[in-house]
Amino acid sequence: MKVLISVDMEGVSGIVHPSETNPERYDYQRGRELMTADANAVVAGVLDADPTAEVLVADAHGTFRNLLPEQLDRRARLARGKPRSLNMLAGLDEETDAALFVGYHVRAGEGPGVLAHTMNGEILDVRPAGRSLGEIGLNAAMAGHLGVPVVLLSGDDAACAEMADLVPETVTVAVKEALGMAAAVTLHPEEARDRLRRAAADAVSRRAEIQPLALTGTLNVEVDLASPHTIDLATLVPGVSRAGGARTVTFTAPDYATAYRLILLLAQLATIKPA
């Protein structure tokens, strides 16, 4: 069995505040340790179910250099750093049997949800074929395009509900109950890790029962952007044009993989500030 574990940070057990997820803030080191421990629990669960499994962990937060390599379970390999193909899903391919999303968060505009956003503060919404998707849905659809089911998701209760709306069969683990953007009632991290380990073993064992999320055919995609500067940059990309409201750009893609890569490009353009 070949498995990809994509690990974000905002939905990790115990984390509620940007100071725990931002490398420039005082509590970031503690956040890294919590993130690595949750990842290890899921690696252990996968290997409980199949000791011969090939496990790749993709660091999927911010710089993609958050997980502590020396503390990660030595039985797993680690994808870290950027830029890289498929972004949060580095290493995913058609040979992957299952994807597991750890520490994920609800999309921008939803909630209450801990540290809710979509990619960055400049992306307000993304709508492939008219359906609003955040990182959970966008990444699940990319996995689905390759025929890979997302068998597990962990995060706050809002993130778990978002995944359940997309693929009801996916196993979810709510490690905290969101009270707001930077507040939650959390499980003890050790309790959360115990649940993650058991759920990961169950999820990969049931992978044949969980259908990949598939968005097929030609797709019209709308992206709402916060900054007029980002909109100006976006419309320099061939095929991208302004549409509808002042904040919206649109493009048509022949398939979801093409749409996904262009969405990632628009998110990267959103990080460029006016000269």
Side-chain angles (χ1 to χ4, degrees), residues 225-266:
L225 300 166
S227 167
H229 177 69
T230 304
I231 295 171
D232 291 341
L233 291 174
T235 55
L236 296 176
V237 178
V240 177
S241 60
R242 298 175 189 266
R247 295 186 182 277
T248 305
V249 298
T250 187
F251 64 88
T252 299
D255 54 44
Y256 185 76
T258 303
Y260 182 80
R261 288 182 169 87
L262 190 44
I263 292 164
L264 295 181
L265 175 60
L266 295 181

Side-chain angles (χ1 to χ4, degrees), residues 110-243:
E110 292 298 307
V114 176
L115 301 173
H117 66 280
T118 298
M119 297 186 176
N120 54 51
E122 292 292 333
I123 306 292
L124 302 178
D125 195 20
V126 182
R127 295 182 297 278
R131 184 169 191 176
S132 178
L133 297 178
E135 292 168 38
I136 292 171
L138 294 170
N139 289 333
M142 186 62 234
H145 180 78
L146 297 174
V148 181
V150 178
V151 300
L152 174 80
L153 178 134
S154 73
D156 67 13
D157 55 329
C160 291
E162 186 172 316
M163 185 73 243
D165 183 58
L166 294 167
V167 184
E169 299 81 10
T170 297
V171 177
T172 60
V173 181
V175 299
K176 51 197 169 191
E177 178 185 350
L179 299 178
M181 186 68 172
V185 176
T186 73
L187 296 176
H188 189 285
E190 291 181 3
E191 173 63 22
R193 291 164 203 156
D194 287 346
R195 296 187 187 188
L196 286 169
R197 183 169 183 167
R198 292 193 299 269
D202 177 50
V204 295
S205 298
R206 293 173 44 207
R207 63 190 182 277
E209 305 169 19
I210 302 171
Q211 293 298 311
L213 177 64
L215 298 181
T216 59
T218 301
L219 296 170
N220 183 68
V221 182
E222 295 178 319
V223 182
D224 294 342
L225 300 166
S227 167
H229 177 69
T230 304
I231 295 171
D232 291 341
L233 291 174
T235 55
L236 296 176
V237 178
V240 177
S241 60
R242 298 175 189 266

